[in-house]
Amino acid sequence: MTPLERALSERIRSEGAITLEAYMDACNAYYYATRDPFGAAGDFVTSPEVSQMFGELIGAALADCWKRAGAPADAAYAELGPGRGTLAADALRVLRSSGFAGEARFVETSPILREAQARAVPNAEWHGAIGELPKQPLLLVANEFLDALPIRQFVGGIERRIVIAAGGLAFDRDGEIIETSPARDEAVEAIAAHLAEHGGVALLIDYGHERSAPGDTLQAVSRHRFASVLERPGEQDLTSHVDFEAVAAAARKGGATVTGLVGQGEWLEKLGIEARAQALSRANPDRLEELNAALARLCGADEMGKLFKVMAIHAPEWPQPAGFA
Ligand code: SAH
């Protein structure tokens, strides 16, 4: 039994069945607070860990948008759940070379990951929640952040809860599942309200779907394999597919303008990933194979190119960032 499973079992014995939202919240807080889960030796690999090109193109897209907004000197780079800080370091290298001198602000709860982020971006500043970001224009990025926020599941209009069964933890009901994520809606609405009031743009990148639909999308990943969501709580990564229709609605509610949704592959191609790969391989011919593998991984329809999607939200008076229809 994992330490968190013991704690959750005690909680269920004393409080009764707990919601999936409470379970996911407890599991992910524990999971990210106790490890660096990224990379071949960890549990999963994210796009910025696949290749520097991912963060560099994001930096270029943000720099272009910032310049077209009049290059406001009081803008900051902000990232939600920056992981190892790799994306931020790659994006900021490009932003700095474009004349952007604003702060780097990270919203991160994990102490271990804050340390990794400090190594990647030494002068960054940390915040515990979106609402703690200072009142200034933001160039904000969230990659695989929204998928980690807790969801609720309903069967026949009744919320699904977790109980103790003979073999461990179990769901109290089965059937056609409807998912919602109040935590995700709140996060997106808070970003949108910040952008609408103080200016800026946010790139939201995650795996998910364009239209709300019934279905169970909760998944656990451990050592690069799918696992059972109720097993080894706190020791595996729990995520769900992002419902981008709900994200767009929350963003509009917060007062931001919302772009269309684009597949990650198409978006990176529009931003010029192939030219970037060619430039890198001309300068480092021995990296040709690695760069081609990264291109296939990030953009391939059968890899991260289609399932992962990108949506931008921005202050109504800011320009739409590049890469969207
Ligand atoms: N963006 C990174 C990491 C994605 S993993 C990358 O692409 O590699 C999810 C990240 O979100 C981790 O850094 C995790 O610690 C952070 N996180 C998860 N829930 C959070 C919360 N409620 N508040 C702040 N950060 C959170």
Side-chain angles (χ1 to χ4, degrees):
M1 212 186 245
T2 66
L4 187 66
E5 186 168 9
R6 207 165 293 125
L8 287 170
S9 301
E10 271 168 35
R11 179 168 164 191
I12 294 170
R13 271 190 210 97
S14 71
E15 279 177 32
I18 59 168
T19 61
L20 172 59
E21 187 179 44
Y23 174 79
M24 205 172 159
D25 199 29
C27 288
N28 278 348
Y30 183 92
Y31 177 78
Y32 284 108
T34 52
R35 77 208 67 212
D36 172 340
F38 309 103
D43 289 331
F44 59 98
V45 177
T46 57
S47 296
E49 302 299 332
V50 169
S51 170
Q52 70 189 78
M53 295 187 288
F54 186 75
E56 287 170 347
L57 289 166
I58 287 175
L62 292 176
D64 165 66
C65 193
W66 172 72
K67 282 186 182 165
R68 285 190 284 126
D74 58 342
Y77 174 86
E79 198 175 325
L80 310 182
R84 282 183 175 164
T86 309
L87 194 169
D90 292 335
L92 281 162
R93 206 168 47 244
V94 175
L95 277 160
R96 298 293 184 228
S97 73
S98 308
F100 174 80
E103 305 91 346
R105 303 194 173 280
F106 294 160
V107 175
E108 176 61 68
T109 40
S110 161
I112 289 187
L113 291 177
R114 280 188 180 199
E115 275 175 35
Q117 291 155 19
R119 287 192 291 274
V121 184
N123 297 317
E125 289 172 53
W126 284 267
H127 305 273
I130 295 162
E132 292 169 20
L133 289 166
K135 301 181 193 326
Q136 64 187 145
L138 296 177
L139 308 175
L140 185 144
V141 185
N143 184 57
E144 290 207 55
F145 170 76
L146 296 173
D147 67 4
L149 298 183
I151 59 165
R152 299 172 74 179
Q153 288 188 335
F154 296 86
V155 173
I158 298 170
E159 184 157 18
R160 238 179 158 203
R161 288 171 188 270
I162 292 156
V163 295
I164 299 172
L169 301 176
F171 284 107
D172 65 346
R173 64 192 69 245
D174 288 312
E176 189 182 61
I177 288 170
I178 302 282
E179 294 179 344
T180 67
S181 180
R184 194 179 288 155
D185 295 347
E186 263 170 48
V188 173
E189 196 182 332
I191 300 161
H194 186 113
L195 299 178
E197 192 172 346
H198 308 293
V201 57
L203 297 171
L204 309 176
I205 308 154
D206 233 305
Y207 72 121
H209 40 274
E210 186 157 19
R211 297 272 162 254
S212 306
D216 180 5
T217 77
L218 181 66
Q219 66 182 45
V221 167
S222 176
R223 309 251 166 247
H224 309 277
R225 292 182 172 198
F226 291 114
S228 163
V229 296
L230 296 183
E231 271 168 26
R232 299 172 58 235
E235 304 297 330
Q236 13 186 60
D237 185 46
L238 287 183
T239 58
S240 76
H241 285 219
V242 171
D243 175 353
F244 278 101
E245 187 175 347
V247 167
R252 288 192 190 99
K253 198 172 161 208
T257 302
V258 180
T259 68
L261 191 65
V262 182
Q264 173 169 301
E266 187 189 336
W267 184 67
L268 291 172
E269 280 157 16
K270 280 187 179 150
L271 294 181
I273 195 167
E274 273 159 25
R276 182 68 191 131
Q278 277 164 14
L280 283 170
S281 65
R282 264 196 307 276
N284 320 269
D286 52 320
R287 287 184 61 190
L288 184 63
E289 216 173 302
E290 167 221 316
L291 289 162
N292 281 335
L295 273 183
R297 185 93 187 260
L298 293 174
C299 302
D302 50 347
E303 301 212 45
M304 301 176 89
K306 272 221 150 82
L307 179 59
F308 279 77
K309 299 178 176 70
V310 191
M311 177 178 274
I313 68 176
H314 57 92
E317 66 278 14
W318 269 54
Q320 175 173 296
F324 300 90

